[in-house]
């Protein structure tokens, strides 16, 4: 992974920048039953369906992950019928450029996640070392879905520097991490498909944030502010501070009507917490104490799926991620998140040891 250093005092970490397009090596190639023209290619921990004979084991290729938005270039025009997304504007402001979105697809019964290209698509002088990030060189951007309804409202500023943004690294790029931590116990939670939310109490100031912005907690045109008021989050954070002696923040997913098509069938927006932060110590609260503190003030967490001794391959973890949501058995869960009982750090994850495994069936059903 590549990193950008931040002045984030909470995590004191280098923040992972996702390599949407990078130089990788073909690990292995396997035939697809009853398919004469295609085969499946292993890159990192991903399986990608490719034209038969186009790649060989050991070849260096340009690999573009799912959620890549490839620019309108001649090399990518073959993707137009299946993948083209028009530009999005807000008045005169360009919100998202037009391009070709790479997503999870199923071909001849095989799940394909990402796309491979020969090195010839690179401009002259581009790096070809394994792992080199060529995202900017190729003009690749990250696909961003439309904002949920009700995510307007007054903005106080950018995301505060004393907080860490909520994100997890996908397991498919973390094979060395799995090997280093084999035999350790992790706790597994369900990953929910909502909108990111943070509430904090710092120096007696209460505030709320979306994924990227510090929002006005008094402006109830925004669903985040309405949920914060309904749950009396300011009072609950003050109770945590008074009972446990630290300035807290909670991070989680807001789910419900108007958010990601309300996959869980809720009657009203709700918050499910996955992080409790001690802002004074600049760290996340460990697993068991965090659950106890959140329960004490009446805050619900994301569904808890129990402990797991990590002794799995990437493919086995992907298989384990497949299942129904605890919140609605008619809905496939988005995936799972694995974290150790006591917070620790790992350089390949860019900070805390924590990673996600996305359910491919969820992506095939909902990742439009």
């Amino acid at each position: 992974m590549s990193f950008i250093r931040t002045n984030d005092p909470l995590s004191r970490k280098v923040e992972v920048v996702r390599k949407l397009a990078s130089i990788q090596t073909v690990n292995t190639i396997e035939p697809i039953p009853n398919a004469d023209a295609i085969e499946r290619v292993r890159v990192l921990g991903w399986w990608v369906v490719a034209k038969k004979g186009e790649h060989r084991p050991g070849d260096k290729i340009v690999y573009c992950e799912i959620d890549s938005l490839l620019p309108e270039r001649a090399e990518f025009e073959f993707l137009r019928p299946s993948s083209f997304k028009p530009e999005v504007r807000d008045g005169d402001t360009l919100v998202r450029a037009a391009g070709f979105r790479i997503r999870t697809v199923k071909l001849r019964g095989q799940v394909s996640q990402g796309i491979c290209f020969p090195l010839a698509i690179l401009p002259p002088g581009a790096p070809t070392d394994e792992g080199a990030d060529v995202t900017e060189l190729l003009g690749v951007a990250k696909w961003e879905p439309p904002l949920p309804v009700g995510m307007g409202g007054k903005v106080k500023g950018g995301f505060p520097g004393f907080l860490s943004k909520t994100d997890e690294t996908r397991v498919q790029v973390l094979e060395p991490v799995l090997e280093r931590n084999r035999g350790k116990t992790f706790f597994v939670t369900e990953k929910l498909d909502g909108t990111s939310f943070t509430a904090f109490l710092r120096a007696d100031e209460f505030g709320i944030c979306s994924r990227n912005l510090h929002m006005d907690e008094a402006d109830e045109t925004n669903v985040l502010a309405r949920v914060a008021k309904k749950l009396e989050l300011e009072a609950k954070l003050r109770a945590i501070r008074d009972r446990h002696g630290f300035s807290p923040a909670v991070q989680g997913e807001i789910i419900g009507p108007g958010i990601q098509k309300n996959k869980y069938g809720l009657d009203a927006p709700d918050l499910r917490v996955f992080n409790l932060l001690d802002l004074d110590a600049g760290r996340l609260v460990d697993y068991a104490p965090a659950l106890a503190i959140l329960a004490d003030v009446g805050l619900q967490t994301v569904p808890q799926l129990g402990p797991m001794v990590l002794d799995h391959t990437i493919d086995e973890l992907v298989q384990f991620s497949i299942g129904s949501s605890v919140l609605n058995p008619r809905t496939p869960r988005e995936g799972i998140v694995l974290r150790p009982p006591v917070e620790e750090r790992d350089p390949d994850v860019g900070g805390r040891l924590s990673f996600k495994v996305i359910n491919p069936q969820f992506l095939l059903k909902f990742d439009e």
Side-chain angles (χ1 to χ4, degrees), residues 33 115 123 125 154 160 205-206 226 231 261 267 294 327 362:
I115 191 168
K154 296 178 183 177
E205 176 196 4
F206 172 72
R226 296 198 299 273
L231 296 180
K261 298 183 179 179
D267 295 327
L294 292 169
L327 301 184
F362 178 93

Side-chain angles (χ1 to χ4, degrees), residues 82-290:
S82 62
S83 308
F84 180 71
K85 298 295 181 182
E87 71 177 21
V88 176
R89 289 186 172 271
D90 183 0
D92 294 331
T93 302
L94 179 65
V95 176
R96 187 185 69 220
F100 307 106
R101 185 200 173 191
I102 305 303
R103 61 187 181 90
T104 299
V105 296
K106 199 169 189 178
L107 302 166
R108 290 294 185 94
Q110 302 297 317
V111 174
S112 179
Q113 295 187 286
I115 191 168
C116 301
F117 296 99
L119 297 183
I121 70 165
L122 295 171
T128 57
D129 295 336
E130 185 172 12
D133 189 347
V134 293
T135 303
E136 291 188 12
L137 281 174
L138 291 176
V140 176
K142 185 178 184 301
W143 162 260
E144 297 288 355
L147 285 175
V149 175
M151 286 303 293
K154 296 178 183 177
V155 175
K156 285 189 169 182
F159 195 82
F162 56 85
L163 292 167
S164 286
K165 291 186 179 181
T166 59
D167 203 4
E168 302 286 346
T169 303
R170 291 178 186 254
V171 72
Q172 283 88 348
V173 299
L174 296 177
E175 194 161 17
V177 175
L178 296 188
E179 289 302 318
R180 280 198 300 273
N181 292 281
R182 190 168 295 278
K184 289 185 178 179
T185 296
F186 284 74
F187 282 91
V188 185
T189 59
E190 179 180 339
K191 187 180 187 307
L192 297 179
D193 186 33
T195 190
S196 180
F197 174 81
T198 299
F200 66 86
L201 183 67
R202 180 174 183 261
D204 215 40
E205 176 196 4
F206 172 72
I208 62 172
C209 305
S210 64
R211 179 174 296 281
N212 297 309
L213 297 171
H214 182 183
M215 306 301 297
D216 186 343
E217 70 280 358
D219 182 3
E220 293 184 35
T221 63
N222 184 291
V223 66
L224 308 185
R226 296 198 299 273
V227 170
K229 180 179 179 180
K230 181 185 79 169
L231 296 180
E232 300 179 328
L233 278 181
E234 181 174 0
K236 290 176 179 177
L237 293 186
R238 291 186 183 278
I240 292 174
R241 182 195 60 187
D242 295 344
R243 296 172 193 175
H244 300 280
F246 65 87
S247 300
V250 292
Q251 295 180 313
E253 292 286 316
I254 290 185
I255 53 178
I259 301 168
Q260 307 296 1
K261 298 183 179 179
N262 192 18
K263 297 179 179 70
Y264 308 104
L266 303 185
D267 295 327
D270 199 7
L271 170 67
R272 294 302 180 104
V273 177
F274 51 71
N275 282 341
L276 174 62
L277 294 70
D278 178 345
L279 299 178
D280 300 324
R283 67 184 303 273
L284 286 103
V285 178
D286 293 336
Y287 182 80

Side-chain angles (χ1 to χ4, degrees), residues 2-22:
S2 61
F3 305 104
I4 292 178
R5 294 196 174 274
T6 74
N7 60 357
D8 180 352
L10 171 71
S11 58
R12 302 182 182 88
K13 73 177 183 179
V14 287
E15 183 176 340
V16 174
V17 176
R18 186 174 172 188
K19 292 181 183 179
L20 293 167
S22 61

Side-chain angles (χ1 to χ4, degrees), residues 320-336:
F320 183 79
S321 76
I322 297 172
S324 298
S325 172
V326 171
L327 301 184
N328 187 336
R330 295 186 299 276
T331 297
R333 62 183 174 221
E334 185 185 8
I336 57 174

Side-chain angles (χ1 to χ4, degrees), residues 6-50:
T6 74
N7 60 357
D8 180 352
L10 171 71
S11 58
R12 302 182 182 88
K13 73 177 183 179
V14 287
E15 183 176 340
V16 174
V17 176
R18 186 174 172 188
K19 292 181 183 179
L20 293 167
S22 61
I23 308 301
Q24 301 297 342
T25 299
V26 173
N27 295 327
T28 189
I29 294 177
E30 294 184 357
I32 297 174
N34 303 315
D36 296 329
I38 56 175
E39 57 194 359
R40 66 177 196 158
V41 177
R42 183 75 163 188
V43 181
L44 295 170
W46 304 98
W47 284 107
V48 183
V49 173

